[in-house]
Amino acid sequence: MSQHSAPRPAATSNTANTTATADIVVVGSVNADLTVNVPRHPEPGETLLGSGGGITAGGKGANQACAAAKLGGRVALVGAVGRDANATPATALMREAGVNLDHLEDVDDVTGLAVITVAADGENTVLVIPGANALVDATFVRAHRAPIEQAPLVLLQGEIPADGFAEAVKLAHGRVVINLAPVVDVPRDALLTADPLLANEHEAGLILAQLGLDGSGTPPELAQRLLDAGVASVVLTLGAAGALVADADGLRDIASPRVTAVDTVGAGDSFAGALCFRLVAGDSLDDAAAYAARVGAFSVQRPGAQPSYPNSGDELPGAAR
């Protein structure tokens, strides 16, 4: 079985961003993204010629950590990479953004790999090989409990083992934000701690099915059903249509600026990172979601995931009317 190494040294690009001062701790995946551009997505059994083939930084955990840090958030990440050539490009932009990597371990496995196909209309498909991410289990997470216990907000996704996910929820003393993507089986009690539960329309249906409930219906119906199941708040992302926020005060539509999408890879992760960045700053859920929609709109106008995310000084698309 693969063995963990000593934790990696902290990122040197932002020495003030230490684990002890992290407002957001992301427990999640780190991937190298292999991106292929195609005129359209192939049909089953079909071969198409593509372009690209470069390796860039990805993984839902890393993407969301990088998005929040680039906006100015104090962020730490708990996760793992392999001892292979892909580890360096997979972490480069997080280091540049100032994400604290004290709790990112080198392990005896390959770095997670995502093979991304981007069609000319900007829509994408993603195939993920977990690699080192599969070692971020309950034992691993317990070994890195300090930043999780200290964080005002812990952010989780679905690209680490379910017991690691559940252990992070158990250790968290602050707010827990869950973006269960991909939708994997996790303990019900852990899932229901989400505040908010962040999902797109498809994921919301799968989560409801996992809870033993009807996963069909309109976004408002899905959101209300999740609230009725015991989730404190829900944010459903709806692409160019914006988002839907739902909590005990009701359901509210959040509009998105109109932009021309070039590449939607990682757009949902930019939304998640931006949402958490504004929540720890004290914004209401509605205001945080509106800001996140603008960040998401910024990101789809540029290729790639982390390279497309705005920095704190960048001008975001105007608030939608």
Side-chain angles (χ1 to χ4, degrees):
M1 181 175 176
S2 300
Q3 298 297 315
H4 303 160
S5 72
R8 297 170 67 92
T12 57
S13 59
N14 185 354
T15 55
N17 187 8
T18 63
T19 302
T21 60
D23 293 323
I24 300 168
V25 170
V26 179
V27 183
S29 58
V30 181
N31 288 337
D33 284 356
L34 171 62
T35 302
V36 180
N37 297 297
V38 293
R40 58 177 175 79
H41 293 298
E43 298 294 331
E46 181 184 17
T47 299
L48 288 179
L49 294 179
S51 61
I55 294 289
T56 57
K60 297 194 71 66
N63 287 350
Q64 294 176 11
C66 188
K70 289 183 75 170
L71 292 168
R74 297 182 298 181
V75 185
L77 181 132
V78 175
V81 292
R83 297 189 182 97
D84 57 6
N86 285 339
T88 296
T91 58
L93 292 182
M94 282 196 294
R95 291 182 180 279
E96 183 180 313
V99 176
N100 183 281
L101 300 180
D102 281 353
H103 296 271
L104 178 67
E105 289 193 25
D106 297 311
V107 298
D108 292 331
D109 207 326
V110 298
T111 299
L113 178 67
V115 181
I116 302 166
T117 303
V118 182
D121 62 4
E123 289 300 318
N124 67 86
T125 62
V126 184
L127 175 66
V128 176
I129 301 167
N133 299 312
L135 299 179
V136 185
D137 56 13
T139 299
F140 184 105
V141 170
R142 277 195 298 273
H144 299 278
R145 64 187 301 152
I148 300 169
E149 291 174 334
Q150 296 167 9
L153 186 151
V154 174
L155 174 58
L156 294 156
Q157 311 80 31
E159 290 184 338
I160 62 171
D163 64 335
F165 175 101
E167 187 66 19
V169 171
K170 178 181 175 182
L171 293 171
H173 296 308
R175 187 173 197 159
V176 175
V177 178
I178 294 175
N179 174 216
L180 193 63
V183 178
V184 295
D185 287 334
V186 296
R188 180 188 181 99
D189 290 347
L191 182 59
L192 295 182
T193 64
D195 185 17
L197 176 63
L198 174 62
N200 62 31
E201 188 174 353
H202 175 69
E203 291 159 354
L206 293 175
I207 291 169
L208 283 163
Q210 184 180 137
L211 294 172
L213 301 170
D214 181 8
S216 63
T218 65
E221 290 170 339
L222 297 174
Q224 186 60 56
R225 217 169 287 144
L226 287 167
L227 292 180
D228 293 342
V231 179
S233 62
V234 176
V235 177
L236 294 189
T237 56
L238 305 173
L244 177 68
V245 171
D247 57 20
D249 294 327
L251 281 64
R252 285 90 64 194
D253 291 318
I254 305 296
S256 176
R258 293 184 178 274
V259 298
T260 300
V262 172
D263 182 355
T264 61
V265 172
D269 294 333
S270 72
F271 186 105
L275 180 82
C276 293
F277 169 63
R278 291 313 309 170
L279 287 176
V280 296
D283 278 8
S284 68
L285 188 55
D286 289 24
D287 287 345
Y291 177 82
R294 297 178 66 197
V295 170
F298 181 102
S299 74
V300 300
Q301 298 176 92
R302 293 157 176 77
Q306 294 176 35
S308 74
Y309 298 162
N311 294 303
S312 59
D314 287 333
E315 183 177 352
L316 301 176
R321 296 293 192 277

